[in-house]
Amino acid sequence: VYYYQSFKDSKDSLTNEDILIYKNSWKSNAVQVAKNNPNNQSFVEARITFIYNLVDKNGQEILEFNISPSEYQ
């Protein structure tokens, strides 16, 4: 599980569209990292599911997403 905190944003200041844009951007980047980062090789070989949580500057969850083996292999 990966946890990230956004220090500049508050969930209350984000629209649903903002959150969807964040999610698509973060997930796309995370899939590329899972595919291409040699440090992830053992995870990829084990076919784990990566779980990401992004919270706002107050610790309130903004979004969560998973990356399954079918998405990075």
Side-chain angles (χ1 to χ4, degrees):
V1 177
Y2 293 94
Y3 292 97
Y4 294 95
Q5 185 168 15
S6 174
F7 292 100
K8 66 177 187 166
D9 295 315
S10 168
K11 184 174 182 178
D12 296 335
S13 69
L14 299 172
T15 65
N16 287 338
E17 185 177 343
D18 292 332
I19 293 170
L20 183 60
I21 290 169
Y22 260 132
K23 182 176 184 176
N24 290 337
S25 176
W26 276 81
K27 186 167 185 173
S28 175
N29 185 52
V31 168
Q32 291 306 310
V33 169
K35 285 181 180 181
N36 300 314
N37 186 334
N39 293 329
N40 289 333
Q41 187 64 33
S42 61
F43 299 128
V44 170
E45 289 172 0
R47 299 182 48 80
I48 66 135
T49 296
F50 294 89
I51 302 170
Y52 290 82
N53 290 339
L54 179 65
V55 298
D56 71 6
K57 65 182 181 181
N58 302 313
Q60 187 176 9
E61 184 176 286
I62 296 174
L63 61 92
E64 177 180 295
F65 63 88
N66 298 338
I67 300 174
S68 65
S70 65
E71 294 176 277
Y72 62 75
Q73 291 188 322

